[in-house]
Amino acid sequence: MNDRRDPRGGTHRDTPRNNGFRTGLRLLGRGQRWMLRHPRLYLRCLLPALAVFLFYAAALVALVLHLDELAALITPFADDWEAGGRTAVRIAAGVALLGVGILLAVVTFTTVTLLVGDPLYDSLSQRVEEEEAAGTGVAVPEGPDRPLWRELAISLGESLGTLWRTLLLAVPVFLIGLVPFVGQVFGFVLGTAVAGWFLTSELAAYALQRRGLGLRERLRLVSGRRRTALGFGMPLVVLFLVPGGAVLLMPGAVAGATLLARELSPADPAGPGTPAIADAPDARPRP
């Protein structure tokens, strides 16, 4: 059999039958619709994203304004080249720098926003689970009982771990982007996939932490449903690139990622908070 087993039991793998990419896209839409049905909660959840967005917008503007100088700084080998070759290389380097900057901005924006609004987004995720579990007889996992400062410290440590992994994968994205013309296209697609995968892992953290899963376990779980994660994360990355999209869509992204976490690791009726990771062929999200 090709199913990959999780150490805690069950299987988790995308198959043609469960159509992983479309499932992720559908869950993203369900999360946005869930927030629209709760306008007051939606407005409250906008505030952390708006505050962080203003800071990141200023940083990206500064990057764009100094892009020429930075491109020249990282391509000193082209100083003695003919004007045409030097210009082509530095344009490619500038585009690659901007692409990596946007990749890191999307991932770290989500990380910083979730840290700033941690209690608010955790409460949002909990409420989504409660509504989804209503009438099913399955208790919502409560997670470990820790003080707020401890939760924030753990979130910060795991966010730094995610950022480190993103930086490692940003290197090949940058190198691919240095190839004139074709490299920019492939670099954008690869960068969107990398950012989407980590974005999904970050946003689903609230629900998966309540199931007792640490960072490595969460990444392993999301890896097992890679197409579903990319179906959720890649469109979200593209929408985050639209001015204001990251602010407006962040609350719904948390709600959708909670629904995704319930797909990846449904709570076990035998014990709240116990992950029963399964990918049954007939387990489809509600339309």
Side-chain angles (χ1 to χ4, degrees), residues 103-112 114-115 153-171 193-206 208-209 213-220 222:
L103 164 65
L104 295 178
V106 169
V107 175
T108 59
F109 170 84
T110 302
T111 299
V112 174
L114 295 179
L115 284 173
I154 292 174
S155 296
L156 178 59
E158 292 187 340
S159 296
L160 291 174
T162 299
L163 178 58
W164 171 245
R165 289 170 170 84
T166 307
L167 287 171
L168 291 178
L169 290 176
V171 173
V194 170
W197 189 74
F198 280 113
L199 194 62
T200 302
S201 302
E202 280 284 280
L203 290 166
Y206 291 115
L208 294 178
Q209 283 174 344
L213 300 179
L215 176 60
R216 291 184 179 180
E217 292 170 304
R218 296 199 304 269
L219 292 175
R220 190 180 306 119
V222 174

Side-chain angles (χ1 to χ4, degrees), residues 176-235:
I176 290 172
L178 290 176
V179 180
F181 308 114
V182 177
Q184 279 83 60
V185 176
F186 282 102
F188 175 78
V189 174
L190 180 59
T192 302
V194 170
W197 189 74
F198 280 113
L199 194 62
T200 302
S201 302
E202 280 284 280
L203 290 166
Y206 291 115
L208 294 178
Q209 283 174 344
R210 282 195 293 273
R211 288 156 171 76
L213 300 179
L215 176 60
R216 291 184 179 180
E217 292 170 304
R218 296 199 304 269
L219 292 175
R220 190 180 306 119
L221 181 63
V222 174
S223 293
R225 294 287 298 274
R226 191 174 294 108
R227 280 182 290 177
T228 301
L230 293 178
F232 184 93
M234 288 184 71

Side-chain angles (χ1 to χ4, degrees), residues 28-248:
L28 175 61
R30 281 186 60 198
Q32 301 301 326
R33 292 196 300 272
W34 191 97
M35 288 308 311
L36 292 178
R37 295 196 303 269
H38 302 79
R40 292 184 179 179
L41 180 59
Y42 174 68
L43 291 175
R44 287 200 303 272
C45 291
L46 285 179
L47 296 178
L50 178 60
V52 176
F53 173 78
L54 294 175
F55 171 79
Y56 271 77
L60 284 175
V61 168
L63 174 62
V64 171
L65 291 177
H66 295 87
L67 205 53
D68 289 343
E69 293 92 331
L70 291 172
L73 185 64
I74 64 173
T75 56
F77 55 85
D79 287 343
D80 299 326
W81 290 11
E82 293 184 1
R86 182 172 63 248
T87 300
V89 167
R90 287 182 173 166
I91 288 175
V95 173
L97 274 175
L98 184 60
V100 170
I102 292 174
L103 164 65
L104 295 178
V106 169
V107 175
T108 59
F109 170 84
T110 302
T111 299
V112 174
T113 301
L114 295 179
L115 284 173
V116 171
D118 186 83
L120 191 59
Y121 292 127
D122 190 24
S123 176
L124 164 61
S125 177
Q126 181 81 21
R127 184 166 172 183
V128 171
E129 289 229 60
E130 289 172 353
E131 287 198 10
E132 289 294 307
T136 65
V138 179
V140 175
E142 296 181 359
D145 184 15
R146 290 189 289 247
L148 178 60
W149 70 266
R150 178 63 176 162
E151 290 285 353
L152 290 174
I154 292 174
S155 296
L156 178 59
E158 292 187 340
S159 296
L160 291 174
T162 299
L163 178 58
W164 171 245
R165 289 170 170 84
T166 307
L167 287 171
L168 291 178
L169 290 176
V171 173
V173 173
F174 173 74
L175 294 176
I176 290 172
L178 290 176
V179 180
F181 308 114
V182 177
Q184 279 83 60
V185 176
F186 282 102
F188 175 78
V189 174
L190 180 59
T192 302
V194 170
W197 189 74
F198 280 113
L199 194 62
T200 302
S201 302
E202 280 284 280
L203 290 166
Y206 291 115
L208 294 178
Q209 283 174 344
R210 282 195 293 273
R211 288 156 171 76
L213 300 179
L215 176 60
R216 291 184 179 180
E217 292 170 304
R218 296 199 304 269
L219 292 175
R220 190 180 306 119
L221 181 63
V222 174
S223 293
R225 294 287 298 274
R226 191 174 294 108
R227 280 182 290 177
T228 301
L230 293 178
F232 184 93
M234 288 184 71
L236 188 60
V237 170
V238 174
L239 292 170
F240 272 18
L241 297 178
V242 177
V247 176
L248 297 175

Side-chain angles (χ1 to χ4, degrees), residues 8-26:
R8 299 179 131 176
T11 64
H12 55 287
R13 178 177 282 278
D14 283 322
T15 65
R17 187 174 177 181
N18 66 33
N19 204 340
F21 194 91
R22 190 168 61 185
T23 297
L25 185 59
R26 186 182 296 122

